[in-house]
Amino acid sequence: MRHLFFLFMGISLNFFSVFAQTGIELGFRVLPQSTWLYNTNDYDAKIMVTDFLSSPKWAYGLNGGINFSDKFGLQSGIMLSPQGQSYLICSDTLVTCSNFEKRLSYFKVPVLLKFMTSSRNSLSLIHTIGLQYHRLIEAKHYDNGILINPPDSLSYQTIDLYTDKGWDISTSLGLLINTNEHMNIGIQLHIDYSLQDLENKDFVLNPLSTPNYYPNNRTALHYFTAGIQFEINYIIGN
């Protein structure tokens, strides 16, 4: 019985090992995510748009930050985040349908507050929340999987229909496994929501003869993403 007691104590001490992971943190993360583009006009147009389909995408990037203590830090980095929305568009009689898809890709730079139950334990809870800067790097439209390009007679690109930058609310909640005093592995539920209109409502095809591309009463377009973030980090310091 005494041997079992010491074995249990040894396992417990190893699991709750003391790792004061303070200092500069660098790492890599990958994020399989479900992405949505939300606009109330589109969702209200049930006569034409009969269904909205999530667009699963993979985001990935580099982590950077600093842990001021075993419970608090700042997290940043850079992420490449492909996003989009698929629309099932049908005729009034539902005889013919097509799958229209918007694909938008962003660089994202988060500035997040990071809270941990304690990085001194091998396993801790982690929560991040803050603002995130995004910049659009690519925009494409597809109809039944075929790329749609603007007519050659019109001197614009699909990316011109969208704003080039903006801000998000970004947050995550999950577990952090501290393998030793210099390394940890995280798995978290991660959510982003854009705060500003993603569409360039001021865009016009021809400033001399045509009105704005978007109707005056069209509401703002926002993105929402949710996924499971996996990350591995190395801590310089302690």
Side-chain angles (χ1 to χ4, degrees):
M1 182 64 70
R2 185 172 61 179
H3 293 295
L4 290 176
F5 172 77
F6 284 115
L7 177 61
F8 174 77
M9 290 298 296
I11 294 174
S12 299
L13 290 173
N14 181 67
F15 186 77
F16 295 103
S17 299
V18 177
F19 300 139
Q21 291 190 337
T22 58
I24 296 174
E25 186 175 69
L26 302 173
F28 174 81
R29 59 178 165 170
V30 61
L31 174 62
Q33 60 183 356
S34 176
T35 73
W36 302 83
L37 296 175
Y38 179 79
N39 173 272
T40 55
N41 297 130
D42 293 341
Y43 275 77
D44 290 340
K46 295 300 183 181
I47 295 177
M48 291 185 60
V49 182
T50 59
D51 201 3
F52 295 84
L53 308 174
S54 171
S55 294
K57 305 290 183 182
W58 285 80
Y60 54 90
L62 301 176
N63 285 339
I66 182 169
N67 296 330
F68 297 108
S69 71
D70 62 323
K71 294 185 178 181
F72 176 73
L74 290 176
Q75 187 179 77
S76 186
I78 187 168
M79 289 282 290
L80 176 60
S81 180
Q83 298 172 195
Q85 177 71 63
S86 293
Y87 308 82
L88 184 63
I89 301 177
C90 299
S91 64
D92 293 347
T93 58
L94 300 180
V95 174
T96 58
C97 294
S98 65
N99 190 318
F100 178 75
E101 184 181 5
K102 296 177 180 178
R103 298 182 189 177
L104 308 177
S105 293
Y106 291 91
F107 271 130
K108 296 182 176 182
V109 180
V111 181
L112 308 175
L113 300 175
K114 181 170 66 173
F115 304 92
M116 300 161 285
T117 51
S118 178
S119 66
R120 292 180 178 273
N121 297 332
S122 293
L123 184 65
S124 63
L125 293 176
I126 179 173
H127 172 53
T128 66
I129 188 169
L131 292 176
Q132 179 173 256
Y133 174 79
H134 70 246
R135 188 167 189 89
L136 181 65
I137 59 173
E138 186 178 64
K140 294 181 178 180
H141 291 170
Y142 290 82
D143 187 10
N144 290 325
I146 300 174
L147 178 65
I148 304 173
N149 289 312
D152 294 336
S153 58
L154 301 176
S155 57
Y156 79 95
Q157 302 296 322
T158 303
I159 198 171
D160 298 328
L161 304 178
Y162 300 93
T163 54
D164 60 347
K165 58 184 178 293
W167 292 92
D168 311 332
I169 287 289
S170 182
T171 186
S172 68
L173 178 66
L175 295 175
L176 199 63
I177 303 170
N178 304 306
T179 58
N180 57 51
E181 63 181 349
H182 292 292
M183 185 170 290
N184 60 54
I185 299 170
I187 176 170
Q188 304 159 46
L189 172 64
H190 182 101
I191 294 174
D192 289 343
Y193 179 78
S194 62
L195 296 175
Q196 295 152 308
D197 193 351
L198 301 178
E199 294 175 333
N200 180 11
K201 295 297 197 297
D202 295 328
F203 177 74
V204 294
L205 294 177
N206 185 340
L208 299 179
S209 61
T210 61
N212 289 8
Y213 179 87
Y214 294 103
N216 292 331
N217 62 348
R218 182 169 172 82
T219 57
L221 179 74
H222 299 274
Y223 64 61
F224 174 83
T225 70
I228 303 299
Q229 175 179 293
F230 302 91
E231 62 180 69
I232 182 169
N233 302 292
Y234 184 81
I235 293 85
I236 304 171
N238 295 320

